[in-house]
Amino acid sequence: MVGRRDYYYRVVSELTGLLSSLVGSYRYLVAAADELNRITLAHKDDVEDAIDRADDLGDIVSCLIKELERQVNNYLREIKEQYPGELNECVHHGGTDTRQGISRETDQMDE
């Protein structure tokens, strides 16, 4: 089981690093679009293009967050199998609801 746990750990680490980088880029794109929008001489098409670029990257970030959540759940399940009983509050049966792309843990925290 250690092999799969290590695999999920590496995947989660790589996705976390990628997410951090993309979120930084997203922030810069949003700031650039805002700044461009404030420039009086900016063409409307340029502003719309800048907003579209930020929106496209935002969609990628959203997909990455869903995948990261799925992989974190996999990783936690592997840990739970190795150390039963110690993570019951963190890892519930079922994990991610693939129909909605959200985890049941998140749903339970909101209730």
Side-chain angles (χ1 to χ4, degrees):
M1 291 296 173
V2 175
R4 281 196 316 190
R5 190 184 76 202
D6 289 343
Y7 166 77
Y8 289 128
Y9 177 80
R10 283 193 309 273
V11 169
V12 167
S13 294
E14 289 174 10
L15 290 174
T16 301
L18 181 59
L19 180 62
S20 176
S21 176
L22 290 177
V23 166
S25 296
Y26 175 76
R27 286 180 167 183
Y28 285 126
L29 287 174
V30 169
D34 181 52
E35 188 174 329
L36 191 57
N37 189 41
R38 294 171 191 248
I39 296 172
T40 310
L41 300 175
H43 295 287
K44 182 179 177 181
D45 290 342
D46 293 336
V47 174
E48 288 175 357
D49 288 345
I51 291 170
D52 287 342
R53 281 191 296 275
D55 189 47
D56 290 346
L57 187 55
D59 291 341
I60 293 169
V61 167
S62 294
C63 289
L64 187 58
I65 289 170
K66 289 174 187 175
E67 181 62 19
L68 179 60
E69 184 177 67
R70 190 174 71 81
Q71 295 299 334
V72 165
N73 286 332
N74 289 337
Y75 178 62
L76 290 175
R77 264 193 296 280
E78 289 296 320
I79 292 174
K80 183 179 177 183
E81 286 178 16
Q82 189 171 2
Y83 305 103
E86 295 181 26
L87 295 174
N88 285 332
E89 293 180 21
C90 297
V91 183
H92 303 284
H93 301 292
T96 301
D97 185 341
T98 56
R99 290 171 292 140
Q100 297 176 4
I102 56 175
S103 74
R104 292 186 183 142
E105 291 83 8
T106 304
D107 289 343
Q108 291 172 355
M109 288 188 299
D110 293 338
E111 292 176 353

